[in-house]
């Protein structure tokens, strides 16, 4: 059963969390950022009872589960969970990449929000409550978020407080505008073509040249197009498909792990186990025991 958990404020070498509450803030509570070079354990289902969370994935991709539905968030996209919603990453680990998040309280009537009050604060509340689940964001959002982290580390003067308020207001304004004008794009016919080809050859070691030829693009153009379209490199995309296919076989069949390795195109079971752990955060044998 999911649990209501306190806000995580633990920072590490690859993970930084800013706790605004320690400075007396009551609207924006925490902001975080991670740059993971390898996968971590799945994020357990949890709830922020009266808080809105905005996630921005700047690099890589991450799967989230909300209300039993899975959502794949790619580089350059935002994902929102509203107050009271149970959310986590399901059975998927926290993946490699770079990801930012902000957790805040939407202002109630009569409450201030950042430096705004009365009708202005309620205008913020209306816009934040209307944020959709998943949408594209402009590349400059990363720069705006990094500015918040830079300002947080500076002197705690009254003017620094104002700068932080304005920086956060700019971040949220960018998010709101993005939500209104940049819905997540529908998968292109060409990407669906590539995806279909990969799924039809799960036991083969597909080369990027094969995929480029299949789409009628040069190799260099294919790699650039694919990264822009899918948010990850084609090699990473192929690997993630193979590992997810292997995960399903581990959960739903009694096939030996070595056989699953060959079924997903790996000629060496040890290398398969190494790659599987890199993407899933655990070995195939541990995954099978948990199924």
């Amino acid at each position: 059963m999911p649990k209501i958990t306190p806000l995580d404020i633990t920072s590490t070498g690859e993970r930084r969390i800013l706790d605004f509450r320690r400075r007396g803030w009551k609207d924006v509570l925490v902001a975080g950022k991670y740059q993971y070079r390898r996968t971590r354990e799945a994020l357990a289902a949890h709830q922020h009872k009266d808080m809105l969370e905005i996630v921005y994935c700047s690099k890589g991709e991450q799967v989230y589960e909300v209300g039993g539905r899975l959502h794949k968030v790619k580089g350059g996209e935002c994902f929102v969970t509203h107050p009271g919603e149970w959310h986590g990453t399901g059975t998927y680990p926290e993946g490699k990449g770079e990801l930012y998040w902000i957790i805040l309280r939407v202002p109630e009537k009569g409450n201030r929000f950042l430096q705004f009050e009365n009708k202005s604060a309620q205008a913020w509340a209306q816009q934040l409550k209307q944020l959709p689940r998943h949408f594209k964001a402009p590349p400059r959002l990363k720069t705006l978020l990094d500015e918040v982290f830079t300002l947080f580390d500076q002197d705690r003067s009254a003017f620094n407080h104002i700068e932080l308020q304005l920086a956060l207001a700019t971040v949220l304004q960018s998010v709101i505008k993005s939500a209104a004008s940049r819905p997540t794009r529908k998968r292109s016919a060409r990407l669906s073509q590539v995806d279909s080809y990969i799924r039809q050859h799960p036991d083969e070691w597909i080369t990027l040249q094969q995929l480029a030829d299949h789409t009628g693009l040069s190799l260099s153009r294919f790699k650039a197009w694919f990264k822009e379209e899918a948010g990850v490199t084609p090699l990473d995309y192929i690997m993630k498909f193979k590992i997810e296919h292997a995960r399903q076989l581990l959960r739903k069949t009694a096939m030996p792990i070595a056989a699953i390795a060959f079924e997903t195109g790996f000629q060496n079971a040890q290398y398969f186990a190494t790659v599987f752990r890199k993407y899933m955060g655990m070995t195939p044998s541990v995954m099978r025991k948990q199924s």
Side-chain angles (χ1 to χ4, degrees), residues 2-42:
K3 298 180 180 179
I4 298 176
T5 57
L7 294 179
D8 186 356
I9 56 171
T10 304
S11 294
T12 67
E14 296 180 301
R15 188 171 182 266
R16 176 85 192 283
I17 299 181
L18 313 179
D19 189 352
F20 286 86
R21 297 169 300 174
R22 291 184 176 178
R23 297 193 181 186
W25 291 54
K26 297 181 180 180
D27 35 29
V28 176
L29 305 178
V30 299
K33 170 186 178 181
Y34 72 59
Q35 292 176 302
Y36 286 163
R37 292 183 288 274
R38 61 180 180 83
T39 57
R40 298 296 191 276
E41 293 183 359

Side-chain angles (χ1 to χ4, degrees), residues 74-75 77 136 139 182 185 191 221-234:
K74 300 183 296 186
E77 296 178 352
K136 292 282 291 182
R182 298 167 66 92
R185 293 180 296 178
L191 183 57
R221 176 70 186 117
F222 170 77
K223 290 191 289 188
W225 162 78
F226 194 95
K227 180 67 182 299
E228 172 67 22
E229 181 74 18
V232 295
T233 66

Side-chain angles (χ1 to χ4, degrees), residues 2 18 31 43 73 102 118 122 150 162 170 172 175 182-183 191 198 227 233 243 245 251 268 284 289:
L18 313 179
L43 179 65
V73 183
I102 294 177
N118 302 325
Q122 286 309 296
T150 298
I162 294 171
T170 303
L172 296 177
V175 167
R182 298 167 66 92
L191 183 57
I198 293 171
K227 180 67 182 299
T233 66
I243 295 305
H245 182 50
R251 295 181 63 191
N268 183 299
K289 289 177 182 178

